[in-house]
Amino acid sequence: MSASEDKKPLLSTVARLFKTLARPFPVGPTALLKPPEPPPPKRPVRLRITCPGEPPQVVALKGSDILGRSQTVATIRIPAPAVSHLHAHIRPRPDWRLPGLGWRIPLPPILYWLGWNAGRYQLEDQDSTNGVFRLKPFGGVERVRRVILRHGQQLSLGPPRDPESVWIQVLDPPPPQVYGVRGCLILMVVLGLGARIWIGHEWSKFSVEPPLSADRNPLIVLAGDQQTELRRHQGDTYRELPDLEAFGPILPKVVVAAEDHRFYSHFGVDLLGIARAFWVNLRSGEVQQGGSSISQQLARTVLRDYTGSGNTFGRKLREAVAALKLEQRYSKDEILALYLNNVYLGNGIYGFETAAQFYFGIPSRQLSLSEAATLAAILPAPNAFNPVANYDAAVRGRDRVLDRLSELKVFPEEEIRRARRSRLTLNPHLRSQTSTVAPYFYSAVFQELRQLLGQDLSAEGNFIIETTVHLPYQRLAEQVLAQTVRESGSRLGFSQGALVSLDSRNGEVLALVGGIDYNASPFNRATQAQRQPGSTFKVFTYAAALTQGIPLSQVLSCEPLTWGNLTFRGCRSGSAPMDLARGLILSENVIALRLAQQVGLEQVVATARQMGIQSPLQPYPSMVIGTMEVNLLELTAAFTPFANRGLWSRPHTIRRILDSSDCANPNDFRTCREIYPGREDPRSQRLVLPETVAQQMTAVLQGVISSGTGTAARLGIGEAGKTGTTTANKDLLFIGYTPNPPLVTGVWLGNDDSSPTRGSSSIAAQTWGNYTRQVITNSLTMVQ
């Protein structure tokens, strides 16, 4: 072998080495591997090719294609003189590699989703004779060696002005979802600019310069006479602390954890908290969480003139703007101190220092973990969760806050456990400082207030609430119910009762008693207790039947009835057939059940719903005779259509709500702005029964008292009503009404643990009679 022949392999090896070194050196774990050919896109890219004198043809790219005139090499053959044998090479764009890691990122799809018209292929000129030309977006032409193929792009194989040149248009539209992404991006930009302009406009409408303080007007709840306050308390001196440290080491941490645990990390509006509240409310179907940060709560407390008091979306937006401005002006600790000094905590109390002195008789810096958690638990509903209004509810609220502290690990678990096992020791002078007229009615007012105004707004003070309670009727109701339980309860085995009395013309609650002793048990058995209504529920089956045209004279069998998997006993009064009217007067279950078979259980449910029953109902046969649980208030209100020509009136304890911080004359509450005018509420009244059906029902329910199961309620003034007794006499009920005065009154007697009694519905009917008789006597005395 010659020396020259030995040099040739060596020279070729050196040449290949220099070529390799001349290439860009890759990095990452795949540096020593040859980059694979990018796979073809799943969604095809097409080219519209127009040759001179021929119709356009559309071809789909296959991944790597050769444009040219060659019949053997070109995968996309273009038989035109201006096209070279191997004119251009089209291949997928290479993915972008993350420096140092070698990870491949499919760049064009990402850009597509971001809304940019990113091409997925690139074309390279293969040293063609006539070249590749690109039309510029804003006019002009340029020759290119390499070009990315984007949707709508036009290329010319050969000079554009040459009539022999071939034109190519790229067809690579983005997927439909991309248009949605682009629209969202554009919308976000527009909304962002609009929000910036709006915030700038709102920013100038208010000032956050000190001093900042809440309008400390007490919450006033008036009886129906518009004069008597239902709760009186000794006005306590407002106490304000200078800075956050003065509140001690425990209280600030507890409040932040309970109300806004991201307080020190957000910018005034907690977006995560709002999203969480939205999701919780969406899943529950009602407003359970508000999502307001401490800064927003402070804004609506001290900047109420700007934020407003309506429970509206606009108010939430203004609160957010005010919170942003507060965060810009004050430090987090200053905002928290302002919040602790100004927030409303029930009983006309503002600020945690005042509340600590009022509820526990000590300064806030001396509060234990249990006491601090109790005060923090008052915040969501100050008028209902404070220890004066409901000691048990206050304890449950404290425990919820302690659970939150445990979840967030704010304090050692042993301290939290000790706090949960501690008994609340209230200020010994607390009871002497406060007194409440009609406490069960008072608690129902705040239950309705939350429904009308929402959780956030109802938690504030500065309200004057005109209620519907008629104090003479309320006192009679409390006396009669207590007398019944005292004289008959021990003998017949029941220890509790409830009474609700409504104006049948408009649904105003004139008297409401939810138990025998509010101090011993604040649980409201008129509005919160769900109990079986017994035979009082039969009126809905009868109302549905009369609406369908079934007459009360229709006769049905008294024989036992098997319906589904249940067998019901026959009539107690005998086996002879009985007409519908007599069946209701004697409260025969099997007659009502056979009637429900004709009417249809779904129609019975629909009639009950139309007449105001909101508690859950299932179309089971046993429902007809009163096994589905309801509360006394809604059941009593459901009888108002019988007494008022078919018109149902929403039962309500609130006539109207006034804003005591917005009055033309501060000394005359009648000049204050109305927040809620109850008499104009469109939900307050609706026609649910034909007047003829109401008249027929009244006639047969009058028979219940004159010759049926309700004779103990007889007064001789045209009264009508229905008795109800459940299994083992656990619930004793009577719902009745009178034409003059136009009252509908419901009475329930029983035990909280649903234990059996030895009584019957006649004792409830007797209680109803005693109350109504004294109401009539009282009314006549007042007239005289």
Side-chain angles (χ1 to χ4, degrees), residues 31-261:
L32 300 179
L33 300 178
K34 180 181 179 181
E37 184 75 18
K42 296 181 180 179
R43 189 165 42 82
V45 177
R46 293 176 172 83
L47 302 180
R48 179 184 283 114
I49 303 175
T50 306
C51 294
E54 295 183 10
Q57 61 173 332
V58 177
V59 298
L61 300 181
K62 300 175 181 178
S64 182
D65 292 279
I66 302 294
L67 294 180
R69 207 169 66 235
S70 172
Q71 295 183 358
T72 58
V73 178
T75 58
I76 300 177
R77 184 171 177 269
I78 305 175
V83 178
S84 301
H85 285 279
L86 300 177
H87 200 107
H89 186 193
I90 298 177
R91 68 184 69 187
R93 289 182 67 185
D95 297 332
W96 185 66
R97 293 175 176 272
L98 194 64
L101 296 177
W103 294 346
R104 293 172 51 197
I105 300 177
L107 188 59
I110 290 177
L111 296 180
Y112 263 128
W113 283 105
L114 293 176
W116 185 47
N117 185 14
R120 296 180 291 160
Y121 282 84
Q122 65 182 13
L123 181 148
E124 296 180 4
D125 187 5
Q126 298 295 302
D127 296 326
S128 62
T129 302
N130 294 317
V132 178
F133 293 83
R134 178 176 70 94
L135 297 183
K136 294 181 179 180
F138 300 102
V141 178
E142 65 175 342
R143 184 168 181 170
V144 293
R145 294 283 301 172
R146 181 183 292 109
V147 63
I148 296 173
L149 301 182
R150 295 186 173 92
H151 175 63
Q153 191 174 48
Q154 290 189 338
L155 303 173
S156 174
L157 304 184
R161 294 185 179 182
D162 187 347
E164 298 296 325
S165 295
V166 175
W167 285 93
I168 296 177
Q169 184 179 16
V170 182
L171 304 177
D172 185 17
Q177 301 93 324
V178 172
Y179 292 103
V181 173
R182 291 176 180 175
C184 289
L185 291 174
I186 294 172
L187 181 61
M188 288 172 61
V189 171
V190 172
L191 290 178
L193 291 174
R196 182 67 186 88
I197 295 172
W198 181 79
I199 290 174
H201 174 69
E202 293 294 311
W203 203 271
S204 62
K205 291 184 177 180
F206 62 96
S207 171
V208 295
E209 294 302 315
L212 292 178
S213 62
D215 292 327
R216 298 185 184 93
N217 297 318
L219 179 74
I220 299 174
V221 181
L222 300 175
D225 59 10
Q226 300 184 5
Q227 296 179 353
T228 306
E229 293 186 33
L230 295 187
R231 171 167 288 181
R232 303 181 184 91
H233 59 81
Q234 288 184 343
D236 203 352
T237 304
Y238 172 70
R239 297 176 175 88
E240 181 174 337
L241 297 183
D243 51 40
L244 191 61
E245 293 182 357
F247 287 95
I250 295 177
L251 181 64
K253 292 181 181 179
V254 172
V255 172
V256 169
E259 288 295 298
D260 183 7
H261 72 280

Side-chain angles (χ1 to χ4, degrees), residues 321-553:
V321 173
L324 294 175
K325 195 167 184 177
L326 285 169
E327 292 269 347
Q328 185 187 64
R329 172 63 177 79
Y330 298 96
S331 68
K332 287 288 187 178
D333 285 354
E334 289 173 330
I335 289 175
L336 184 56
L338 281 169
Y339 178 78
L340 296 177
N341 272 323
N342 288 281
V343 72
Y344 181 65
L345 290 160
N347 292 291
I349 302 300
Y350 287 85
F352 275 90
E353 178 65 16
T354 309
Q357 297 279 2
F358 178 78
Y359 291 114
F360 298 109
I362 57 176
S364 59
R365 65 178 178 275
Q366 295 180 10
L367 289 172
S368 66
L369 182 57
S370 173
E371 293 163 342
T374 302
L375 293 183
I378 296 175
L379 289 168
N383 299 308
F385 289 167
N386 66 76
V388 175
N390 192 328
Y391 179 87
D392 293 336
V395 172
R396 291 193 299 270
R398 176 202 67 178
D399 292 344
R400 285 194 297 271
V401 172
L402 292 174
D403 290 340
R404 185 64 172 160
L405 296 176
S406 177
E407 178 185 346
L408 297 174
K409 296 180 171 51
V410 179
F411 294 93
E413 192 62 32
E414 179 59 26
E415 291 185 26
I416 296 174
R417 186 189 67 82
R418 189 182 304 113
R420 187 179 286 108
R421 295 170 62 88
S422 301
R423 175 171 175 78
L424 291 180
T425 303
L426 301 178
N427 182 356
H429 305 292
L430 189 59
R431 291 295 177 187
S432 63
Q433 294 178 2
T434 60
S435 62
T436 304
V437 178
Y440 284 109
F441 179 90
Y442 188 83
S443 69
V445 167
F446 289 102
Q447 185 177 342
E448 184 175 342
L449 183 68
R450 288 191 294 273
Q451 295 172 354
L452 293 176
L453 301 185
Q455 186 76 3
D456 289 344
L457 184 56
S458 64
E460 300 177 10
N462 304 310
F463 294 132
I464 298 173
I465 304 174
E466 292 183 15
T467 71
T468 61
V469 66
H470 187 57
L471 292 180
Y473 291 1
Q474 177 70 26
R475 296 188 190 99
L476 288 174
E478 293 172 352
Q479 294 168 7
V480 168
L481 191 65
Q483 182 180 3
T484 297
V485 174
R486 183 175 62 253
E487 295 179 357
S488 302
S490 59
R491 177 170 53 87
L492 299 176
F494 59 85
S495 60
Q496 279 295 347
L499 187 152
V500 173
S501 193
L502 309 173
D503 188 326
S504 59
R505 299 167 300 182
N506 52 32
E508 289 189 347
V509 179
L510 303 178
L512 187 149
V513 187
I516 303 307
D517 185 352
Y518 184 85
N519 291 330
S521 173
F523 179 70
N524 198 325
R525 294 154 190 87
T527 60
Q528 295 175 301
Q530 295 293 115
R531 306 293 297 232
Q532 293 183 359
S535 292
T536 59
F537 201 85
K538 294 174 182 174
V539 297
F540 303 116
T541 299
Y542 275 75
L546 291 173
T547 302
Q548 294 181 9
I550 299 174
L552 289 171
S553 59

